[in-house]
Amino acid sequence: MKPSRRWVVGGGAGLVAAIIGGVFVPRWFGKHYPPTPYDDLLALLDDREVAKEVGRAFLNVHPNFTAAKAAGALRQYIGKRPLAAVLANEVAQGQLTEAGHWVLPQTLSGLCALAARS
């Protein structure tokens, strides 16, 4: 039995609507932040609110943290590599730092501190 043309067109329209909704709805209703000079780095974080919390703990221990210097160093260190690869390498090398009760790769700590300062 052939599906009727109405069902095929309706199903196609529904699929297109779902794709458009999946792409644009999170941008429309997701959390928006004011622009910062560090947005390229902060975009690497999955949850900026959690990162801010961790960053505040890091900044309590490292009050001399300078966002501009750290951002430059992070951009150079991360380069074009995926963040997951950078973090996995740091864990393997033991390049960790403590922030509050968390032990994190150094790059992630830096990103969290940037989030807390922005």
Side-chain angles (χ1 to χ4, degrees):
M1 192 191 294
K2 283 184 156 181
S4 74
R5 185 175 169 107
R6 183 181 303 170
W7 284 101
V8 173
V9 171
L15 180 61
V16 169
I19 291 170
I20 290 172
V23 171
F24 292 108
V25 168
R27 291 182 187 168
W28 293 335
F29 297 110
K31 179 80 172 158
H32 295 283
Y33 298 95
T36 73
Y38 315 117
D39 286 342
D40 59 320
L41 293 168
L42 297 176
L44 299 172
L45 298 167
D46 287 335
D47 188 336
R48 202 181 291 190
E49 294 305 314
V50 172
K52 284 181 179 182
E53 183 180 337
V54 174
R56 284 189 287 272
F58 178 85
L59 292 171
N60 285 337
V61 179
H62 301 91
N64 295 330
F65 176 85
T66 305
K69 284 185 181 180
L74 286 166
R75 286 182 181 112
Q76 185 175 15
Y77 182 71
I78 295 169
K80 301 277 185 197
R81 297 180 294 166
L83 182 60
V86 172
L87 300 180
N89 184 50
E90 286 184 353
V91 170
Q93 303 267 332
Q95 298 171 337
L96 306 172
T97 188
E98 186 176 348
H101 299 289
W102 297 284
V103 176
L104 305 167
Q106 292 174 353
T107 298
L108 184 57
S109 297
L111 291 171
C112 290
L114 276 178
R117 284 276 164 95
S118 59

PDB file of all heavy atoms in Angstrom, residues 44-71:
ATOM      1  N   LEU A  44      34.210  27.104  24.593  1.00  0.00           N
ATOM      2  CA  LEU A  44      34.679  25.730  24.756  1.00  0.00           C
ATOM      3  C   LEU A  44      34.031  25.047  25.961  1.00  0.00           C
ATOM      4  O   LEU A  44      34.058  23.824  26.067  1.00  0.00           O
ATOM      5  CB  LEU A  44      36.207  25.697  24.919  1.00  0.00           C
ATOM      6  CG  LEU A  44      37.024  26.240  23.745  1.00  0.00           C
ATOM      7  CD1 LEU A  44      38.498  26.335  24.127  1.00  0.00           C
ATOM      8  CD2 LEU A  44      36.825  25.367  22.523  1.00  0.00           C
ATOM      9  N   LEU A  45      33.465  25.833  26.861  1.00  0.00           N
ATOM     10  CA  LEU A  45      32.867  25.298  28.085  1.00  0.00           C
ATOM     11  C   LEU A  45      31.437  24.847  27.829  1.00  0.00           C
ATOM     12  O   LEU A  45      30.666  25.546  27.177  1.00  0.00           O
ATOM     13  CB  LEU A  45      32.876  26.361  29.187  1.00  0.00           C
ATOM     14  CG  LEU A  45      34.257  26.836  29.616  1.00  0.00           C
ATOM     15  CD1 LEU A  45      34.131  28.093  30.476  1.00  0.00           C
ATOM     16  CD2 LEU A  45      35.000  25.740  30.352  1.00  0.00           C
ATOM     17  N   ASP A  46      31.071  23.698  28.381  1.00  0.00           N
ATOM     18  CA  ASP A  46      29.707  23.196  28.234  1.00  0.00           C
ATOM     19  C   ASP A  46      28.718  23.966  29.094  1.00  0.00           C
ATOM     20  O   ASP A  46      27.596  24.213  28.695  1.00  0.00           O
ATOM     21  CB  ASP A  46      29.633  21.710  28.607  1.00  0.00           C
ATOM     22  CG  ASP A  46      30.272  20.822  27.566  1.00  0.00           C
ATOM     23  OD1 ASP A  46      30.346  21.238  26.386  1.00  0.00           O
ATOM     24  OD2 ASP A  46      30.707  19.719  27.922  1.00  0.00           O
ATOM     25  N   ASP A  47      29.117  24.327  30.304  1.00  0.00           N
ATOM     26  CA  ASP A  47      28.216  24.993  31.241  1.00  0.00           C
ATOM     27  C   ASP A  47      28.976  26.127  31.919  1.00  0.00           C
ATOM     28  O   ASP A  47      29.766  25.902  32.834  1.00  0.00           O
ATOM     29  CB  ASP A  47      27.697  23.992  32.270  1.00  0.00           C
ATOM     30  CG  ASP A  47      26.606  24.549  33.155  1.00  0.00           C
ATOM     31  OD1 ASP A  47      26.524  25.787  33.322  1.00  0.00           O
ATOM     32  OD2 ASP A  47      25.818  23.748  33.687  1.00  0.00           O
ATOM     33  N   ARG A  48      28.751  27.323  31.448  1.00  0.00           N
ATOM     34  CA  ARG A  48      29.506  28.468  31.955  1.00  0.00           C
ATOM     35  C   ARG A  48      29.177  28.765  33.413  1.00  0.00           C
ATOM     36  O   ARG A  48      30.026  29.255  34.158  1.00  0.00           O
ATOM     37  CB  ARG A  48      29.229  29.693  31.094  1.00  0.00           C
ATOM     38  CG  ARG A  48      30.338  30.712  31.221  1.00  0.00           C
ATOM     39  CD  ARG A  48      30.110  31.965  30.419  1.00  0.00           C
ATOM     40  NE  ARG A  48      30.190  31.764  28.996  1.00  0.00           N
ATOM     41  CZ  ARG A  48      30.213  32.769  28.131  1.00  0.00           C
ATOM     42  NH1 ARG A  48      30.145  34.014  28.559  1.00  0.00           N
ATOM     43  NH2 ARG A  48      30.267  32.530  26.842  1.00  0.00           N
ATOM     44  N   GLU A  49      27.964  28.472  33.858  1.00  0.00           N
ATOM     45  CA  GLU A  49      27.590  28.743  35.258  1.00  0.00           C
ATOM     46  C   GLU A  49      28.389  27.860  36.217  1.00  0.00           C
ATOM     47  O   GLU A  49      28.870  28.334  37.243  1.00  0.00           O
ATOM     48  CB  GLU A  49      26.088  28.555  35.456  1.00  0.00           C
ATOM     49  CG  GLU A  49      25.241  29.567  34.708  1.00  0.00           C
ATOM     50  CD  GLU A  49      25.593  31.011  35.027  1.00  0.00           C
ATOM     51  OE1 GLU A  49      25.758  31.351  36.209  1.00  0.00           O
ATOM     52  OE2 GLU A  49      25.711  31.801  34.069  1.00  0.00           O
ATOM     53  N   VAL A  50      28.527  26.597  35.893  1.00  0.00           N
ATOM     54  CA  VAL A  50      29.334  25.694  36.721  1.00  0.00           C
ATOM     55  C   VAL A  50      30.793  26.121  36.655  1.00  0.00           C
ATOM     56  O   VAL A  50      31.505  26.117  37.662  1.00  0.00           O
ATOM     57  CB  VAL A  50      29.154  24.221  36.276  1.00  0.00           C
ATOM     58  CG1 VAL A  50      30.132  23.316  36.997  1.00  0.00           C
ATOM     59  CG2 VAL A  50      27.728  23.774  36.525  1.00  0.00           C
ATOM     60  N   ALA A  51      31.246  26.497  35.458  1.00  0.00           N
ATOM     61  CA  ALA A  51      32.632  26.948  35.294  1.00  0.00           C
ATOM     62  C   ALA A  51      32.908  28.171  36.160  1.00  0.00           C
ATOM     63  O   ALA A  51      33.985  28.289  36.748  1.00  0.00           O
ATOM     64  CB  ALA A  51      32.905  27.250  33.828  1.00  0.00           C
ATOM     65  N   LYS A  52      31.947  29.083  36.255  1.00  0.00           N
ATOM     66  CA  LYS A  52      32.121  30.266  37.100  1.00  0.00           C
ATOM     67  C   LYS A  52      32.313  29.874  38.563  1.00  0.00           C
ATOM     68  O   LYS A  52      33.131  30.460  39.264  1.00  0.00           O
ATOM     69  CB  LYS A  52      30.918  31.200  36.972  1.00  0.00           C
ATOM     70  CG  LYS A  52      30.887  31.989  35.700  1.00  0.00           C
ATOM     71  CD  LYS A  52      29.666  32.900  35.687  1.00  0.00           C
ATOM     72  CE  LYS A  52      29.626  33.730  34.431  1.00  0.00           C
ATOM     73  NZ  LYS A  52      28.482  34.653  34.410  1.00  0.00           N
ATOM     74  N   GLU A  53      31.540  28.897  39.009  1.00  0.00           N
ATOM     75  CA  GLU A  53      31.658  28.438  40.396  1.00  0.00           C
ATOM     76  C   GLU A  53      33.046  27.873  40.666  1.00  0.00           C
ATOM     77  O   GLU A  53      33.690  28.197  41.662  1.00  0.00           O
ATOM     78  CB  GLU A  53      30.581  27.387  40.679  1.00  0.00           C
ATOM     79  CG  GLU A  53      30.557  26.888  42.090  1.00  0.00           C
ATOM     80  CD  GLU A  53      29.473  25.859  42.315  1.00  0.00           C
ATOM     81  OE1 GLU A  53      28.488  25.833  41.562  1.00  0.00           O
ATOM     82  OE2 GLU A  53      29.637  25.052  43.249  1.00  0.00           O
ATOM     83  N   VAL A  54      33.513  27.025  39.769  1.00  0.00           N
ATOM     84  CA  VAL A  54      34.854  26.446  39.908  1.00  0.00           C
ATOM     85  C   VAL A  54      35.896  27.550  39.793  1.00  0.00           C
ATOM     86  O   VAL A  54      36.870  27.585  40.549  1.00  0.00           O
ATOM     87  CB  VAL A  54      35.086  25.355  38.842  1.00  0.00           C
ATOM     88  CG1 VAL A  54      36.511  24.858  38.883  1.00  0.00           C
ATOM     89  CG2 VAL A  54      34.108  24.204  39.041  1.00  0.00           C
ATOM     90  N   GLY A  55      35.688  28.474  38.866  1.00  0.00           N
ATOM     91  CA  GLY A  55      36.623  29.579  38.679  1.00  0.00           C
ATOM     92  C   GLY A  55      36.753  30.455  39.906  1.00  0.00           C
ATOM     93  O   GLY A  55      37.852  30.901  40.245  1.00  0.00           O
ATOM     94  N   ARG A  56      35.645  30.707  40.582  1.00  0.00           N
ATOM     95  CA  ARG A  56      35.709  31.505  41.812  1.00  0.00           C
ATOM     96  C   ARG A  56      36.551  30.799  42.875  1.00  0.00           C
ATOM     97  O   ARG A  56      37.324  31.446  43.588  1.00  0.00           O
ATOM     98  CB  ARG A  56      34.304  31.802  42.333  1.00  0.00           C
ATOM     99  CG  ARG A  56      33.593  32.885  41.533  1.00  0.00           C
ATOM    100  CD  ARG A  56      32.293  33.338  42.179  1.00  0.00           C
ATOM    101  NE  ARG A  56      31.229  32.356  42.067  1.00  0.00           N
ATOM    102  CZ  ARG A  56      30.378  32.278  41.040  1.00  0.00           C
ATOM    103  NH1 ARG A  56      30.461  33.146  40.051  1.00  0.00           N
ATOM    104  NH2 ARG A  56      29.442  31.358  41.005  1.00  0.00           N
ATOM    105  N   ALA A  57      36.430  29.485  42.974  1.00  0.00           N
ATOM    106  CA  ALA A  57      37.249  28.727  43.925  1.00  0.00           C
ATOM    107  C   ALA A  57      38.727  28.819  43.533  1.00  0.00           C
ATOM    108  O   ALA A  57      39.607  28.963  44.399  1.00  0.00           O
ATOM    109  CB  ALA A  57      36.796  27.270  43.962  1.00  0.00           C
ATOM    110  N   PHE A  58      39.011  28.744  42.238  1.00  0.00           N
ATOM    111  CA  PHE A  58      40.386  28.866  41.752  1.00  0.00           C
ATOM    112  C   PHE A  58      40.941  30.256  42.067  1.00  0.00           C
ATOM    113  O   PHE A  58      42.081  30.401  42.522  1.00  0.00           O
ATOM    114  CB  PHE A  58      40.428  28.603  40.240  1.00  0.00           C
ATOM    115  CG  PHE A  58      41.788  28.742  39.638  1.00  0.00           C
ATOM    116  CD1 PHE A  58      42.687  27.690  39.651  1.00  0.00           C
ATOM    117  CD2 PHE A  58      42.176  29.940  39.040  1.00  0.00           C
ATOM    118  CE1 PHE A  58      43.951  27.825  39.090  1.00  0.00           C
ATOM    119  CE2 PHE A  58      43.427  30.084  38.481  1.00  0.00           C
ATOM    120  CZ  PHE A  58      44.322  29.014  38.499  1.00  0.00           C
ATOM    121  N   LEU A  59      40.142  31.288  41.842  1.00  0.00           N
ATOM    122  CA  LEU A  59      40.601  32.657  42.076  1.00  0.00           C
ATOM    123  C   LEU A  59      40.842  32.946  43.548  1.00  0.00           C
ATOM    124  O   LEU A  59      41.673  33.798  43.882  1.00  0.00           O
ATOM    125  CB  LEU A  59      39.601  33.654  41.493  1.00  0.00           C
ATOM    126  CG  LEU A  59      39.517  33.663  39.965  1.00  0.00           C
ATOM    127  CD1 LEU A  59      38.346  34.535  39.503  1.00  0.00           C
ATOM    128  CD2 LEU A  59      40.811  34.109  39.341  1.00  0.00           C
ATOM    129  N   ASN A  60      40.145  32.256  44.441  1.00  0.00           N
ATOM    130  CA  ASN A  60      40.396  32.425  45.872  1.00  0.00           C
ATOM    131  C   ASN A  60      41.812  32.003  46.235  1.00  0.00           C
ATOM    132  O   ASN A  60      42.427  32.591  47.119  1.00  0.00           O
ATOM    133  CB  ASN A  60      39.392  31.626  46.704  1.00  0.00           C
ATOM    134  CG  ASN A  60      38.035  32.272  46.741  1.00  0.00           C
ATOM    135  OD1 ASN A  60      37.900  33.482  46.535  1.00  0.00           O
ATOM    136  ND2 ASN A  60      37.015  31.478  46.990  1.00  0.00           N
ATOM    137  N   VAL A  61      42.319  30.996  45.534  1.00  0.00           N
ATOM    138  CA  VAL A  61      43.664  30.485  45.803  1.00  0.00           C
ATOM    139  C   VAL A  61      44.710  31.226  44.969  1.00  0.00           C
ATOM    140  O   VAL A  61      45.863  31.325  45.361  1.00  0.00           O
ATOM    141  CB  VAL A  61      43.715  28.961  45.517  1.00  0.00           C
ATOM    142  CG1 VAL A  61      45.091  28.393  45.758  1.00  0.00           C
ATOM    143  CG2 VAL A  61      42.694  28.242  46.375  1.00  0.00           C
ATOM    144  N   HIS A  62      44.304  31.736  43.817  1.00  0.00           N
ATOM    145  CA  HIS A  62      45.220  32.424  42.898  1.00  0.00           C
ATOM    146  C   HIS A  62      44.709  33.855  42.629  1.00  0.00           C
ATOM    147  O   HIS A  62      44.254  34.156  41.534  1.00  0.00           O
ATOM    148  CB  HIS A  62      45.328  31.653  41.578  1.00  0.00           C
ATOM    149  CG  HIS A  62      45.812  30.255  41.749  1.00  0.00           C
ATOM    150  ND1 HIS A  62      44.957  29.195  41.945  1.00  0.00           N
ATOM    151  CD2 HIS A  62      47.067  29.749  41.768  1.00  0.00           C
ATOM    152  CE1 HIS A  62      45.662  28.089  42.072  1.00  0.00           C
ATOM    153  NE2 HIS A  62      46.940  28.398  41.971  1.00  0.00           N
ATOM    154  N   PRO A  63      44.811  34.738  43.609  1.00  0.00           N
ATOM    155  CA  PRO A  63      44.241  36.081  43.447  1.00  0.00           C
ATOM    156  C   PRO A  63      44.972  36.935  42.403  1.00  0.00           C
ATOM    157  O   PRO A  63      44.433  37.937  41.948  1.00  0.00           O
ATOM    158  CB  PRO A  63      44.352  36.688  44.846  1.00  0.00           C
ATOM    159  CG  PRO A  63      45.450  35.940  45.503  1.00  0.00           C
ATOM    160  CD  PRO A  63      45.421  34.555  44.921  1.00  0.00           C
ATOM    161  N   ASN A  64      46.183  36.575  42.003  1.00  0.00           N
ATOM    162  CA  ASN A  64      46.947  37.362  41.039  1.00  0.00           C
ATOM    163  C   ASN A  64      46.654  36.970  39.596  1.00  0.00           C
ATOM    164  O   ASN A  64      47.353  37.413  38.692  1.00  0.00           O
ATOM    165  CB  ASN A  64      48.444  37.227  41.312  1.00  0.00           C
ATOM    166  CG  ASN A  64      48.831  37.826  42.652  1.00  0.00           C
ATOM    167  OD1 ASN A  64      48.200  38.774  43.124  1.00  0.00           O
ATOM    168  ND2 ASN A  64      49.840  37.274  43.281  1.00  0.00           N
ATOM    169  N   PHE A  65      45.635  36.153  39.390  1.00  0.00           N
ATOM    170  CA  PHE A  65      45.254  35.710  38.043  1.00  0.00           C
ATOM    171  C   PHE A  65      44.914  36.923  37.186  1.00  0.00           C
ATOM    172  O   PHE A  65      44.131  37.783  37.583  1.00  0.00           O
ATOM    173  CB  PHE A  65      44.039  34.774  38.141  1.00  0.00           C
ATOM    174  CG  PHE A  65      43.491  34.330  36.820  1.00  0.00           C
ATOM    175  CD1 PHE A  65      44.025  33.232  36.170  1.00  0.00           C
ATOM    176  CD2 PHE A  65      42.435  34.999  36.232  1.00  0.00           C
ATOM    177  CE1 PHE A  65      43.504  32.810  34.962  1.00  0.00           C
ATOM    178  CE2 PHE A  65      41.911  34.588  35.021  1.00  0.00           C
ATOM    179  CZ  PHE A  65      42.452  33.491  34.385  1.00  0.00           C
ATOM    180  N   THR A  66      45.513  36.998  36.012  1.00  0.00           N
ATOM    181  CA  THR A  66      45.254  38.085  35.075  1.00  0.00           C
ATOM    182  C   THR A  66      44.567  37.507  33.851  1.00  0.00           C
ATOM    183  O   THR A  66      45.151  36.691  33.129  1.00  0.00           O
ATOM    184  CB  THR A  66      46.575  38.778  34.668  1.00  0.00           C
ATOM    185  OG1 THR A  66      47.255  39.194  35.845  1.00  0.00           O
ATOM    186  CG2 THR A  66      46.323  39.967  33.775  1.00  0.00           C
ATOM    187  N   ALA A  67      43.342  37.917  33.607  1.00  0.00           N
ATOM    188  CA  ALA A  67      42.534  37.332  32.542  1.00  0.00           C
ATOM    189  C   ALA A  67      43.176  37.499  31.169  1.00  0.00           C
ATOM    190  O   ALA A  67      43.237  36.557  30.380  1.00  0.00           O
ATOM    191  CB  ALA A  67      41.130  37.937  32.550  1.00  0.00           C
ATOM    192  N   ALA A  68      43.675  38.678  30.857  1.00  0.00           N
ATOM    193  CA  ALA A  68      44.241  38.925  29.521  1.00  0.00           C
ATOM    194  C   ALA A  68      45.467  38.045  29.263  1.00  0.00           C
ATOM    195  O   ALA A  68      45.600  37.461  28.192  1.00  0.00           O
ATOM    196  CB  ALA A  68      44.594  40.398  29.365  1.00  0.00           C
ATOM    197  N   LYS A  69      46.359  37.954  30.242  1.00  0.00           N
ATOM    198  CA  LYS A  69      47.553  37.108  30.082  1.00  0.00           C
ATOM    199  C   LYS A  69      47.162  35.639  29.977  1.00  0.00           C
ATOM    200  O   LYS A  69      47.697  34.890  29.160  1.00  0.00           O
ATOM    201  CB  LYS A  69      48.514  37.300  31.251  1.00  0.00           C
ATOM    202  CG  LYS A  69      49.295  38.568  31.194  1.00  0.00           C
ATOM    203  CD  LYS A  69      50.292  38.603  32.336  1.00  0.00           C
ATOM    204  CE  LYS A  69      51.080  39.884  32.340  1.00  0.00           C
ATOM    205  NZ  LYS A  69      52.052  39.939  33.430  1.00  0.00           N
ATOM    206  N   ALA A  70      46.239  35.220  30.816  1.00  0.00           N
ATOM    207  CA  ALA A  70      45.802  33.821  30.799  1.00  0.00           C
ATOM    208  C   ALA A  70      45.138  33.484  29.474  1.00  0.00           C
ATOM    209  O   ALA A  70      45.380  32.418  28.903  1.00  0.00           O
ATOM    210  CB  ALA A  70      44.846  33.549  31.954  1.00  0.00           C
ATOM    211  N   ALA A  71      44.313  34.382  28.958  1.00  0.00           N
ATOM    212  CA  ALA A  71      43.632  34.137  27.681  1.00  0.00           C
ATOM    213  C   ALA A  71      44.644  33.976  26.558  1.00  0.00           C
ATOM    214  O   ALA A  71      44.517  33.074  25.716  1.00  0.00           O
ATOM    215  CB  ALA A  71      42.663  35.267  27.367  1.00  0.00           C
TER     216      ALA A  71
END
